[in-house]
């Protein structure tokens, strides 16, 4: 192709590309124009590089959440075969005085769990949900437990070796709990920062063998309901302890992004206080 052909091709290309081709001049001559100088890339700068390394290795994050549920057998490795209320009752029986940590429940909540069989209408264990959160092709069991002051304990269980293992436990003043893909996302109110809420996405970590808060942010809630992400302020980690599963009154992070998990119609009262994941469209 001669010089004239190149010139014609450039004009046609610019005409087709329009504003996408920033190198084409506005006069349509086909002569490339500079878009201006590009700012040089600035890499991260390490502050205080002479700080000594930590003398004590950190505790594995999430290890306190991993707990074998005593006395619960899972037929065929299917978590749908177990009763969510009985799972929570088994944990309360094993640690009846736990008021903090991954097993922590308010005393009145623990009593109500113990009375779920005789007083099902006041049972604080909400409807269970199921989702493959670990990516192994099998569903996990997701349980919510209502407590005073809009506190909700969220626990996730995995079937393994014929039994049930808890792989997540956290307590927060919950606005909503949702599922998006293999993430469990929590949104909670921010009592200390009016006009904001916390959003945290919990994801399966193969190395830890538990669900970890992999994405954590504070979100501004506008008057029209819009949310603007912002950096999470310095402070303790999820549930106020640097690890999930703090006491019932501990503040913590949150989450969003709607999804439609599959509900179960089994045990546990629901419809009072904060709801777990909303049922899919068309589900009663």
């Amino acid at each position: 192709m001669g010089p004239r052909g190149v010139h014609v091709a450039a004009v046609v290309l610019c005409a087709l590309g329009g504003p996408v081709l920033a190198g084409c001049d506005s006069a349509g001559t086909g002569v490339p124009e500079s878009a201006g100088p590009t700012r040089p890339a600035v890499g991260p700068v390490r502050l205080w590089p002479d700080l000594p390394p930590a003398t004590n290795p950190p505790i594995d994050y999430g290890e306190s959440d991993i707990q074998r549920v005593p006395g619960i057998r899972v037929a065929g490795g299917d978590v749908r075969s177990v009763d969510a209320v009985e799972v929570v009752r088994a944990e309360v029986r094993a640690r009846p005085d736990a008021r903090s940590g991954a097993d922590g429940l308010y005393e009145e909540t623990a009593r109500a769990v113990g009375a779920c069989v005789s007083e099902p209408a006041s049972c604080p264990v909400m409807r269970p949900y199921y989702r493959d959160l670990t990516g192994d092709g099998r569903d996990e069991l997701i349980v919510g437990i209502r407590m005073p002051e809009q506190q909700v304990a969220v626990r996730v269980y995995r079937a393994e070796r014929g039994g049930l293992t808890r792989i997540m436990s956290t307590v927060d003043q919950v606005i909503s709990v949702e599922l998006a893909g293999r993430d469990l996302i929590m949104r909670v109110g921010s009592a200390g920062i009016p006009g904001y809420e916390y959003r945290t996405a919990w994801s399966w970590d193969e190395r830890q063998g538990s669900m970890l808060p992999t994405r954590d942010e504070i979100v501004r809630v506008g008057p029209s309901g819009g949310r603007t992400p912002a950096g999470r302020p310095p402070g303790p980690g999820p549930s106020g302890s640097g690890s999930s599963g703090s006491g019932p009154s501990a503040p913590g992070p949150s989450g969003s992004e709607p999804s439609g998990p599959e509900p179960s119609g089994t045990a546990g009262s629901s419809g009072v206080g904060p709801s777990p994941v909303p049922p899919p469209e068309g589900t009663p």
Side-chain angles (χ1 to χ4, degrees), residues 127-131 179 259-264 276-284:
R127 174 196 307 188
Y129 286 84
Y130 306 93
R131 175 65 66 92
L179 291 173
S259 177
E262 182 179 355
S264 165
V277 190
E281 188 174 342
T283 300

Side-chain angles (χ1 to χ4, degrees), residues 131-133 179-185 258-259:
R131 175 65 66 92
D132 179 9
L133 298 174
L179 291 173
R182 286 167 50 193
D183 288 343
L184 187 150
I185 303 173
S259 177

Side-chain angles (χ1 to χ4, degrees), residues 180 183 185 199-203 212-217 253-255 257:
D183 288 343
I185 303 173
R199 173 189 299 169
T200 299
W202 292 77
S203 309
L212 300 182
T214 53
R215 292 187 300 281
D216 194 9
E217 62 183 349
S254 65
E257 298 186 26

Side-chain angles (χ1 to χ4, degrees), residues 171-266:
V171 176
D172 263 314
Q173 193 172 47
V174 170
I175 295 173
S176 72
V177 182
E178 301 164 358
L179 291 173
R182 286 167 50 193
D183 288 343
L184 187 150
I185 303 173
M186 295 181 64
R187 289 173 48 215
V188 304
S190 171
I193 312 178
Y196 288 80
E197 63 187 34
Y198 292 134
R199 173 189 299 169
T200 299
W202 292 77
S203 309
W204 169 252
D205 185 279
E206 185 70 33
R207 179 176 178 180
Q208 293 293 324
S210 67
M211 300 285 290
L212 300 182
T214 53
R215 292 187 300 281
D216 194 9
E217 62 183 349
I218 185 171
V219 180
R220 186 172 61 205
V221 183
S224 61
R227 299 184 179 90
T228 302
R232 180 87 182 254
S239 300
S241 65
S243 173
S244 63
S246 70
S249 60
S254 65
S256 78
E257 298 186 26
S259 177
E262 182 179 355
S264 165
T266 58

